Amino acid sequence: MSKLNSEFNYRYQVIGETVWAKIQTLHGFLDGRLRAAVLEEVADLKYKAKLWELQDLKDTNAKHCLILEKQAELLELESFHREQKINFALNRDEIACLQKLLAELYAIAEPTRIAGYTDEQMYEANAANEFTHVIGREMQAEIIANGRPSPAKLHNAMSNPYTFKVLQSWGLIPQDAFLLSPNNDPFRIPEELMATITSGSTLRIAGECHVPVQ
């Protein structure tokens, strides 16, 4: 018998690098714990209903086998009353923990809320920022472990201009690297490549890759 998660896990290990992403994740956990709390009352009502059913069977002189069946059902419910009681108490503690952590996070997040925006709208507005921090930390981990970010992670960093520019400002991508513009016309040479062809220079792409132009 234990909590679903510890305060340490909720504070440091849940999904979310930025405050709004953490709020979204913790609200998901809190909703689940609140639904579980309702089951405490459900269990109590079901137990009382069984008691009344047994009493009705006795009052109406029902068959002995039916009375025994109902008594067996009650014994089965009572067999895990102690464990159930402990689990519900742990669940209440977890709800209190989540509410405390959310209050701390909202104190940090509220000054950044866009006027009139709901939490859900703030999650969406924060999406690029969260993605950037996730990729940035993954690249940082790869640099610490291997000395350089992987091509796959750099490709993720190039998925949107915001992430690319922020990671450049953090020094995770070289300052002279640039994003290639998508070429949706198969018969058009991209402008960046055309410029290098006419100048005879070397094309520098994100990361350490250099593409010499013939």
Side-chain angles (χ1 to χ4, degrees):
M1 293 171 285
S2 62
K3 296 179 182 177
L4 179 66
N5 268 310
S6 66
E7 179 173 341
F8 176 85
N9 285 341
Y10 280 135
R11 190 179 289 276
Y12 299 111
Q13 297 298 307
V14 298
I15 294 172
E17 299 290 347
T18 59
V19 65
W20 283 110
K22 282 186 180 291
I23 286 174
Q24 184 180 27
T25 300
L26 291 187
H27 265 305
F29 280 109
L30 180 59
D31 289 345
R33 297 302 89 208
L34 291 173
R35 286 194 297 271
V38 174
L39 296 179
E40 183 173 7
E41 184 178 0
V42 171
D44 184 56
L45 290 173
K46 284 186 174 182
Y47 180 69
K48 288 178 180 178
K50 294 289 184 185
L51 289 173
W52 280 109
E53 287 174 5
L54 176 60
Q55 189 60 50
D56 286 344
L57 289 172
K58 290 178 178 178
D59 291 344
T60 56
N61 295 317
K63 290 181 180 181
H64 193 55
C65 63
L66 295 178
I67 293 175
L68 289 175
E69 261 188 43
K70 194 58 61 179
Q71 287 176 330
E73 290 176 11
L74 280 165
L75 284 172
E76 186 177 7
L77 287 175
E78 291 166 356
S79 68
F80 52 82
H81 268 182
R82 177 182 170 277
E83 182 180 357
Q84 193 177 60
K85 185 176 181 179
I86 293 172
N87 285 335
F88 283 135
L90 290 172
N91 187 62
R92 287 192 294 272
D93 289 344
E94 205 161 337
I95 289 172
C97 172
L98 284 164
Q99 290 173 332
K100 180 187 76 170
L101 292 177
L102 280 167
E104 292 176 11
L105 291 173
Y106 272 117
I108 300 169
E110 282 302 336
T112 70
R113 186 188 291 275
I114 300 171
Y117 269 43
T118 64
D119 282 5
E120 196 63 40
Q121 288 172 315
M122 284 305 302
Y123 302 153
E124 182 63 31
N126 182 61
N129 184 42
E130 170 67 14
F131 176 79
T132 299
H133 280 76
V134 170
I135 295 300
R137 285 201 167 183
E138 289 176 351
M139 289 176 65
Q140 184 182 29
E142 289 182 343
I143 291 170
I144 293 171
N146 305 318
R148 61 187 297 166
S150 66
K153 205 59 63 184
L154 280 167
H155 185 256
N156 284 341
M158 296 167 69
S159 66
N160 68 88
Y162 174 84
T163 297
F164 188 82
K165 290 296 183 184
V166 171
L167 295 181
Q168 251 184 344
S169 71
W170 292 347
L172 294 174
I173 294 176
Q175 289 298 314
D176 59 342
F178 62 89
L179 272 176
L180 292 176
S181 301
N183 180 20
N184 297 315
D185 183 352
F187 301 106
R188 181 182 67 83
I189 299 176
E191 293 177 7
E192 294 89 346
L193 185 55
M194 179 62 76
T196 61
I197 291 173
T198 56
S199 66
S201 62
T202 298
L203 177 63
R204 180 170 175 82
I205 305 174
E208 298 301 320
C209 178
H210 290 74
V211 181
V213 178
Q214 302 298 325

